[in-house]
């Protein structure tokens, strides 16, 4: 059994290592005698529920102040599912899994994704994190009352503050006891985001990918990760080379194309690979034989 989870590409010191370690522990328990996808879903749920991370509760609001979330999952038999621009849901990763297991489709977006979740009995939930959104709303309110243009400066500052309190997108890759692989990624998107924007996380082969040779979860500049189909390339390279070598090849492309990104990978052989270009990638991992999960910051 192998588990790797990440907390998104960070530009500063990362202070949510406890959540990543807990996600590893929860996934270990969830995967006992079960498939790799159980580990992915349970780990990502722990991270989505942590308001410090930009997924599920605590997701970044878009420019209208609304939270639109995205998540994707994939297994090594190429089954996959995702949701994009979904609102008012606690755990988008679970809805993504339901799309994979209960529909013929791969991706549901916006109102359609919400209707699907509602029909399956997912409770309506407000994913705004109290602390951060309170500051943002108060500032917005004050700036709106004040007609003098200088107040726009304070409004912008308040938004910067809001952003500073968050870290990134979350993801997990797992290998179960029978050798099955799965990947999952969940996000609130990027900081300055137009309503309706969808990034790489829920898109097969971009932010999330699994195939018979490996499982991959990415974070970083979604548009660039999508443009170059990063997760699929790294996943398929694991047929020939180790997980770390496949990640290194991906990072060479990232360097050449100037893509800010981070990646975690597990190969069919159980090797772990990770890398980051242009930031730090906080992650935690656990492998059979290790006493407890370990945290590391990759740069
Ligand atoms: N890749 C995510 C997106 O573009 C953001 C991130 O990983 O921080 O939506």
């Amino acid at each position: 059994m192998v588990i790797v989870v990440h907390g998104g590409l960070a530009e500063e010191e990362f202070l949510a290592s406890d959540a990543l370690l807990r996600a590893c522990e929860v996934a270990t328990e969830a995967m006992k005698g079960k498939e790799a996808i159980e580990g992915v879903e349970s780990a990502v749920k722990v991270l989505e529920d942590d308001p410090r991370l930009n997924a599920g509760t605590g997701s970044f609001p878009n420019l209208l102040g609304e939270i639109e979330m995205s998540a994707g999952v994939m297994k090594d038999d190429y089954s996959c599912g995702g949701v994009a621009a979904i609102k008012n849901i606690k755990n988008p990763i679970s809805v993504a899994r339901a799309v994979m297991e209960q529909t013929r489709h791969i991706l549901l977006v916006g109102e359609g994704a919400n209707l699907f979740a509602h029909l399956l009995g997912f409770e309506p939930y407000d994913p705004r994190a109290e602390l951060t959104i309170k500051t943002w709303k108060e500032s917005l309110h004050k700036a709106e009352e004040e007609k003098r243009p200088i107040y726009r400066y304070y409004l912008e500052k308040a938004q910067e503050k809001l952003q500073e309190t968050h870290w990134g997108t979350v993801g997990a890759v797992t290998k179960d006891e029978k050798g099955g692989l799965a990947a999952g990624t969940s996000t609130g998107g990027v900081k300055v985001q137009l309503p309706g924007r969808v990034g790489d996380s829920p898109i097969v082969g971009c932010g999330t990918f699994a195939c018979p040779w490996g499982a991959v979860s990415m974070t970083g500049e979604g548009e660039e990760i999508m443009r170059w189909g990063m997760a699929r390339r790294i996943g398929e390279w694991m047929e020939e080379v180790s997980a770390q070598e496949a990640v290194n090849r991906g990072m060479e492309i990232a360097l050449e194309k100037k893509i800010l990104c981070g990646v975690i990978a597990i190969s069919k052989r159980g090797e772990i690979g990770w890398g980051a270009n242009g930031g730090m990638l906080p992650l935690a991992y656990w492998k059979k034989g290790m006493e407890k999960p370990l945290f590391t910051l990759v740069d």
Side-chain angles (χ1 to χ4, degrees), residues 10 14 23 30 44 56 67 81 86 101 137 171 176 184 216 235 250 260-261 273 276 285:
F14 181 80
V44 172
I67 291 181
I86 193 168
E101 292 177 345
K137 276 180 115 182
D176 61 34
V216 181
L260 296 181
C261 65
Y285 62 100

Side-chain angles (χ1 to χ4, degrees), residues 8-9 54 168-169 187 189-190 193 197 199-201 218-223 225:
L9 202 62
N54 174 28
T169 293
T187 188
V190 287
Q193 173 167 269
R197 179 259 183 194
D200 59 307
S201 310
M218 310 256 336
T219 169
E221 286 181 297
E223 281 71 9
I225 294 170

Side-chain angles (χ1 to χ4, degrees), residues 51-52 56-59 67 126-134 162 166:
R52 297 169 295 179
T57 306
S59 287
I67 291 181
D126 184 350
R128 289 176 297 181
E130 290 260 325
L131 256 176
T132 49
I133 301 298
K134 196 165 157 269
L162 166 67
H166 283 77

Side-chain angles (χ1 to χ4, degrees), residues 123-144:
E123 296 288 325
Y125 174 82
D126 184 350
R128 289 176 297 181
E130 290 260 325
L131 256 176
T132 49
I133 301 298
K134 196 165 157 269
T135 317
W136 181 74
K137 276 180 115 182
E138 282 169 5
S139 305
L140 189 65
H141 190 62
K142 287 202 179 93
E144 275 169 353

Side-chain angles (χ1 to χ4, degrees), residues 1-3 28 175-177 270 272 285-291:
M1 201 192 282
V2 190
I3 298 148
T28 316
K175 178 172 183 258
D176 61 34
E177 284 156 341
I272 295 175
Y285 62 100
W286 183 86
K287 237 181 159 165
K288 202 169 177 190
M290 280 170 63
E291 204 179 305

